Amino acid sequence: MDKIWNLKPAGDSEIVERLARELCMPKQDPSEKDLATYRIVANLLVQRGIKNFEQAKTFFRPNLKHLHDPFLMPDMETAVERILFAVKAKEKILVYGDYDVDGTSAVALVYSYLETFYSNIDYYIPDRYEEGYGVSFKGVDYAESTGVSLIICLDCGIKATEEIAYAGEKNIDFIVCDHHLPGKDLPKACAILDAKIEGNKYPYDELSGCGVGFKLIQALQKRRGEPADDIIPYLDLVAISIAADVVPLTGENRILAYYGLKVLNGEGSKDLPLKPRVGLEAILSYANVKHQEEKEGNPYFNRKLTISDLGFLIGPRINAAGRMESGRNAVELLIAKDLKRAEDIAAKINNNNEDRKNKDQEATKQAIDMLSDASQKDKKSIVLYHEDWHQGIIGIVASRISEEQNKPTVIFTKNNGVITGSARSVKNFDIYTTIEKCRHLLTHFGGHRFAAGLSMKEENFEEFKALFEKEVENSIEDEELVPEISVDMEIALGDINDKLLRILSQFQPFGPENNEPIFASSKIYDANKVRQVGKNHLKFSAIPMDKYNNPISCIGFSLGEFYQLLHNGIMIDICYTIEENTYQGHSELQLNVKDIRESKYNKY
């Protein structure tokens, strides 16, 4: 499928030039080659809102000292006082969280921190299928039956007005730590930590649920007079939540993720030794990233983990526990202290993940087969139903189908006599609003503009399918159905060098609002070396039209369709990221090509 290359606007030329020269310092008379490199870097920074040297220094050198004071968050003082009062009075505290990665990592973080100085605590993860998302009446009943008088609720609770009122009737206090948008009315909790509440003046409102949990333990640590560095090891959990919940990699999230990766990669020092908790060490062994000991007992991984790795290697495995069995297993893994115990739980969770993969691959294949029906071809949306699909994987199937077909997609299965669905959108299309127009056919729905969950009586399915397609057709723009690649800037191949690669590596960790830079170059030839590798990949060497600089090695995953174009010596345009490729001990600069098209001798 052809893709749109959307070239971002360049940064203000005067600001870019000034910043490029500031970055070149302390060189008094930088070479034109160095300036060319730093102009690229400066443009990328300005596009990210970074316009002077001090802002660039903060961006490239994340520092825990730049974290905001947790007591700037409204209700933090009340939350800390209530927890410390409960500790002094020997009350039982329940740490409550959602069943996904963000929720289970947040529960593990707060529970394991409290456990270092208080023992009368418990945790609770709701059952995905019996209780659904967030605070449940069953969870409150569990708290009452076990003598709990304080619940610390993480990654949920901001809309649980009825459930928290129910807890209040049982003399159970709630501290809500959430990062979702509130509803019309706030729950009657003794403290609410959520920077998205209207009027909240906390300086950063994009924390993950686990990130809010970290601010809570940061405040507790400060109030208890304990060293701030002692809670750095908890940042492995925060980094995983940031990756899995796909929150912006800006501000505090960038700092927390940066140091969380240091913990996961064992990049500590003699004064502050760092290594991941044993549960993560155990689960990583199933992803071929195993922690080992070497040289003076310093920990290391056989390769450095990135935010992307956390999202693809750890996140799905932790999520699989809640999808296929119980989210409690994920918390047990993340709070484990004994490696053997952690390995046993990791084996169970990995089996959950293998089961999940088998089921979602089978369902995806069935869904694709269903799309071969001629009646589906001209539709602007995809709505599919199969009563035997596992409810825990329909969201994954919806994501895969929407990405492959580039259409708003809803995947349904049957559960407890009703059909439940998971919806995924494309580009800028608001799928939540579209579903809302069909609400009279639904028993429940919720979500946001890019993803939603819904349920209905089975007899309403066909009517919903027709109405949903009609609403999509009336509101979606044709360009929203075409895949898009966001290109940061166009550069010449001659601008690419090892120095640029080294500086680009310092833009990590990558994620939303700080994605890995994608470049474009035009009027390119292959240096007569194109070959197909694997099932559908390309290896070739790029040279510009003038052929004055050395060829640059390129890899193009799933771009086998362009083999003949390159083989025939046709001039092309490419968009790509710049990376280092290491093979058999040899490293070289490489372009990871995202798309290829025949050059039209014009800009895009």
Side-chain angles (χ1 to χ4, degrees):
M1 183 183 293
D2 290 338
K3 300 179 178 68
I4 294 173
W5 295 12
N6 184 10
L7 184 64
K8 295 179 183 177
D12 181 277
S13 58
E14 289 186 11
I15 297 175
V16 169
E17 185 65 25
R18 185 184 70 245
L19 181 56
R21 292 183 178 276
E22 289 175 346
L23 293 171
C24 270
M25 295 297 287
K27 292 184 179 181
Q28 298 300 316
D29 188 22
S31 68
E32 190 56 38
K33 186 176 180 180
D34 278 346
L35 268 176
T37 296
Y38 282 108
R39 285 185 185 115
I40 294 171
V41 173
N43 186 72
L44 294 171
L45 291 171
V46 173
Q47 286 175 326
R48 287 158 173 74
I50 298 163
K51 298 181 180 180
N52 59 55
F53 182 80
E54 284 304 313
Q55 290 175 338
K57 184 179 177 181
T58 300
F59 177 80
F60 284 128
R61 301 288 182 269
N63 194 310
L64 291 168
K65 293 178 182 178
H66 295 146
L67 292 177
H68 303 302
D69 183 342
F71 286 101
L72 291 175
M73 193 172 286
D75 278 5
M76 183 64 80
E77 185 75 44
T78 304
V80 168
E81 287 182 2
R82 182 65 185 88
I83 292 169
L84 294 180
F85 177 85
V87 170
K88 186 176 181 180
K90 296 183 171 52
E91 295 180 54
K92 187 167 186 179
I93 301 173
L94 181 70
V95 185
Y96 189 117
D98 195 23
Y99 43 70
D100 66 2
V101 178
D102 196 13
T104 54
S105 61
V107 167
L109 181 145
V110 173
Y111 180 91
S112 56
Y113 173 77
L114 292 176
E115 194 180 34
T116 62
F117 63 91
Y118 189 59
S119 60
N120 195 16
I121 55 176
D122 192 6
Y123 66 88
Y124 189 90
I125 303 293
D127 183 273
R128 185 186 193 105
Y129 306 111
E130 288 187 11
E131 299 168 75
Y133 167 81
V135 180
S136 69
F137 292 106
K138 182 179 178 180
V140 174
D141 288 340
Y142 171 84
E144 181 187 33
S145 68
T146 55
V148 167
S149 54
L150 174 62
I151 296 176
I152 303 173
C153 175
L154 297 142
D155 190 38
C156 57
I158 195 64
K159 291 184 177 179
T161 52
E162 293 182 10
E163 292 85 354
I164 291 177
Y166 179 67
E169 294 170 3
K170 299 175 180 297
N171 296 315
I172 299 172
D173 285 338
F174 254 87
I175 295 172
V176 173
C177 306
D178 206 346
H179 67 132
H180 295 103
L181 286 167
K184 183 180 178 181
D185 299 313
L186 294 177
K188 289 182 169 55
C190 70
I192 300 176
L193 309 180
D194 188 337
K196 287 192 170 71
I197 294 174
E198 188 175 353
N200 191 306
K201 295 182 180 179
Y202 186 73
Y204 190 71
D205 66 356
E206 295 292 354
L207 292 166
S208 65
C210 189
V212 179
F214 182 80
K215 299 305 295 186
L216 176 61
I217 72 167
Q218 187 187 16
L220 283 164
Q221 188 78 346
K222 187 174 183 178
R223 181 54 48 84
R224 293 174 61 232
E226 298 294 332
D229 284 355
D230 286 359
I231 60 173
I232 292 175
Y234 294 92
L235 290 176
D236 55 358
L237 294 173
V238 182
I240 289 167
S241 76
I242 287 170
D245 228 49
V246 202
V247 292
L249 258 294
T250 58
E252 283 193 303
N253 282 341
R254 179 173 172 81
I255 299 169
L256 297 171
Y258 179 85
Y259 281 91
L261 286 169
K262 281 186 174 294
V263 177
L264 284 158
N265 287 314
E267 296 177 340
S269 62
K270 284 186 178 180
D271 295 332
L272 185 65
L274 297 174
K275 67 177 183 178
R277 61 196 59 230
V278 293
L280 293 176
E281 184 177 323
I283 202 69
L284 281 168
S285 69
Y286 288 98
N288 297 319
V289 184
K290 189 167 177 59
H291 181 266
Q292 302 173 27
E293 299 288 331
E294 182 185 89
K295 293 182 181 179
E296 302 176 0
N298 288 332
Y300 81 103
F301 283 108
N302 59 10
R303 73 180 182 82
K304 286 183 68 171
L305 291 164
T306 66
I307 283 292
S308 178
D309 290 328
L310 305 189
F312 286 103
L313 300 179
I314 298 180
R317 287 175 165 84
I318 294 176
N319 257 335
R323 290 183 186 278
M324 311 308 292
E325 192 173 338
S326 171
R328 283 189 65 89
N329 293 340
V331 177
E332 286 185 31
L333 174 76
L334 297 175
I335 65 175
K337 297 184 178 66
D338 176 69
L339 182 57
K340 178 63 174 66
R341 170 67 175 152
E343 288 173 340
D344 290 343
I345 304 169
K348 181 192 295 185
I349 287 178
N350 195 65
N351 287 337
N352 290 153
N353 191 52
E354 291 301 313
D355 186 26
R356 186 271 307 167
K357 284 197 291 187
N358 290 335
K359 283 183 167 59
D360 82 53
Q361 286 170 3
E362 180 183 359
T364 301
K365 183 179 182 303
Q366 289 174 333
I368 291 171
D369 289 342
M370 292 164 74
L371 290 175
S372 63
D373 188 319
S375 64
Q376 292 281 350
K377 184 179 179 182
D378 297 325
K379 289 186 176 180
K380 299 289 181 70
S381 69
I382 294 171
V383 180
L384 301 175
Y385 166 50
H386 196 303
E387 65 178 16
D388 293 331
W389 286 338
H390 192 289
Q391 189 178 342
I393 55 89
I394 57 174
I396 299 171
V397 176
S399 293
R400 288 185 175 174
I401 296 297
S402 67
E403 287 173 13
E404 181 177 304
Q405 301 293 320
N406 215 68
K407 294 179 180 181
T409 299
V410 192
I411 301 295
F412 286 98
T413 189
K414 196 170 187 177
N415 183 52
N416 294 330
V418 299
I419 63 171
T420 60
S422 191
R424 296 294 184 271
S425 191
V426 294
K427 237 183 236 186
N428 299 315
F429 183 71
D430 188 343
I431 202 167
Y432 181 87
T433 300
T434 306
I435 292 172
E436 192 171 32
K437 293 174 182 176
C438 309
R439 65 185 306 163
H440 62 285
L441 299 171
L442 308 176
T443 55
H444 171 78
F445 81 100
H448 52 79
R449 62 182 291 115
F450 299 117
L454 59 161
S455 58
M456 70 182 76
K457 295 178 180 178
E458 190 169 10
E459 58 263 31
N460 288 343
F461 173 74
E462 291 298 334
E463 187 177 352
F464 170 84
K465 182 177 179 179
L467 180 57
F468 182 78
E469 167 63 20
K470 179 183 176 183
E471 294 295 343
V472 171
E473 190 172 349
N474 288 340
S475 54
I476 201 164
E477 300 293 335
D478 287 342
E479 58 266 25
E480 290 177 304
L481 297 172
V482 181
E484 177 183 290
I485 297 176
S486 183
V487 178
D488 289 80
M489 60 187 300
E490 182 183 4
I491 62 175
L493 287 188
D495 292 332
I496 301 170
N497 53 50
D498 290 335
K499 175 177 279 190
L500 178 61
L501 174 63
R502 286 196 301 272
I503 299 173
L504 290 178
S505 70
Q506 296 178 50
F507 276 70
Q508 296 190 61
F510 295 125
E513 297 186 31
N514 184 43
N515 288 307
E516 185 173 7
I518 294 180
F519 302 97
S521 297
S522 58
K523 302 177 185 178
I524 305 299
Y525 287 103
D526 168 55
N528 299 318
K529 293 183 179 180
V530 64
R531 69 182 193 275
Q532 284 191 279
V533 294
K535 288 184 178 181
N536 190 35
H537 314 311
L538 287 184
K539 283 282 288 183
F540 62 100
S541 295
I543 53 175
M545 181 175 63
D546 55 27
K547 303 182 182 180
Y548 287 149
N549 66 295
N550 294 326
I552 299 179
S553 179
C554 300
I555 181 73
F557 294 105
S558 302
L559 296 180
E561 63 185 286
F562 297 104
Y563 172 81
Q564 205 61 46
L565 192 70
L566 275 71
H567 181 69
N568 292 341
I570 304 298
M571 186 182 292
I572 59 170
D573 301 338
I574 58 175
C575 63
Y576 52 86
T577 59
I578 304 171
E579 62 186 24
E580 182 178 60
N581 179 46
T582 301
Y583 180 69
Q584 294 183 342
H586 173 70
S587 295
E588 67 172 352
L589 186 149
Q590 175 177 268
L591 307 185
N592 189 328
V593 179
K594 305 301 179 184
D595 196 25
I596 298 171
R597 64 188 187 189
E598 186 174 344
S599 181
K600 302 298 182 184
Y601 298 92
N602 63 313
K603 306 284 184 182
Y604 10 83

